[in-house]
Amino acid sequence: MNTRNIELQNQHLDQNDENVQNYLSLYDQHDEAPYLSPGRDLNAWLKDIEIGSASLVPKRNMVRLEEGILPGHLILLWRISFSTFTNESGFPKYFEYTYGINAEQALEDVLEKHYAKELSSMESLTHLNAAQLKALLKDKNATGYSTLTKGQLMDRVRSAYLEDELETLFNIRGYMLTSIGLSLLGKYPEIIDKHPKKKF
């Protein structure tokens, strides 16, 4: 039963549970067992593995890199690099089932390691739609914005508000890679190359 590094992602597991034991045993040849989310129907998944309709996380995806992170962390950084990922974005199942990571925890990890950063409210205006931007201008009693483009609306909002004011008016925040994060992606291109590019 593979309990190596279990405290890093799987400390929540009940190791006395027979299904959990079976799960961990499937990964005896891996450097560590992949993340198992509390919400997974483990009994059904084990049956799917038995009949071949589900697959194990590849060994290579559970080998920690020099920086102490897993390949799945790099895929998350790659996803962030498109500038469309926000604190309201969902995490595809492949993070758990293909890369063996807890994506929510991985996001915290890459922020803590300064590979990525959360953008300010002013920097996150791009994630609002035109109607939301116009509503912000209306609250400031602005005029002459009905025919403006989204870019022009954002400029008007930036002129009308201080950062502190905006922070409390909407919750969505974007993310961007830092120079360290960009360098890290460049260091391991083979990991990104293996990821299906049609899948964010």
Side-chain angles (χ1 to χ4, degrees):
M1 188 170 69
N2 186 356
T3 59
R4 293 185 292 278
N5 290 328
I6 197 167
E7 75 284 353
L8 297 181
Q9 294 198 106
N10 284 313
Q11 58 196 21
H12 60 285
L13 295 182
D14 177 4
Q15 296 182 47
N16 294 316
D17 182 277
E18 184 178 355
N19 279 339
V20 170
Q21 292 176 0
N22 291 335
Y23 174 83
L24 295 174
S25 294
L26 287 171
Y27 290 103
D28 274 344
Q29 302 305 309
H30 287 52
D31 278 16
E32 68 180 270
Y35 171 65
L36 173 60
S37 64
R40 191 189 305 193
D41 185 339
L42 185 52
N43 187 54
W45 183 83
L46 288 169
K47 289 179 180 177
D48 288 342
I49 286 292
E50 190 175 350
I51 64 175
S53 62
S55 302
L56 297 180
V57 173
K59 286 184 182 180
R60 67 175 183 271
N61 288 347
M62 297 313 301
V63 177
R64 291 196 175 259
L65 307 176
E66 180 182 354
E67 293 77 12
I69 60 174
L70 291 164
H73 289 76
L74 283 186
I75 299 302
L76 178 58
L77 291 176
W78 171 78
R79 176 67 182 86
I80 291 172
S81 73
F82 288 94
S83 302
T84 57
F85 188 80
T86 74
N87 58 347
E88 296 182 1
S89 298
F91 294 104
K93 287 186 177 181
Y94 63 67
F95 279 114
E96 178 178 351
Y97 289 87
T98 302
Y99 291 99
I101 66 167
N102 178 346
E104 291 184 7
Q105 180 182 320
L107 179 58
E108 293 178 6
D109 291 343
V110 299
L111 292 173
E112 183 178 328
K113 291 177 179 290
H114 305 293
Y115 299 150
K117 69 173 186 176
E118 184 176 280
L119 299 178
S120 68
S121 55
M122 199 74 78
E123 294 169 320
S124 298
L125 286 174
T126 185
H127 299 292
L128 300 183
N129 59 38
Q132 291 169 314
L133 293 167
K134 288 177 180 179
L136 290 172
L137 291 173
K138 182 179 180 181
D139 288 344
K140 281 289 188 177
N141 297 315
T143 58
Y145 56 80
S146 60
T147 61
L148 297 182
T149 65
K150 182 176 177 179
Q152 291 170 329
L153 288 169
M154 288 192 292
D155 287 340
R156 288 285 298 273
V157 171
R158 292 186 185 107
S159 297
Y161 283 89
L162 297 174
E163 180 72 47
D164 291 347
E165 292 178 281
L166 276 183
E167 280 184 357
T168 60
L169 297 180
F170 63 94
N171 296 321
I172 193 168
R173 298 290 184 271
Y175 297 97
M176 70 174 291
L177 298 188
T178 63
S179 58
I180 304 173
L182 284 168
S183 296
L184 199 58
L185 280 187
K187 183 178 178 181
Y188 299 102
E190 68 281 1
I191 292 174
I192 307 303
D193 289 345
K194 286 185 173 69
H195 183 74
K197 294 306 180 290
K198 65 180 180 180
K199 295 183 180 179
F200 274 174

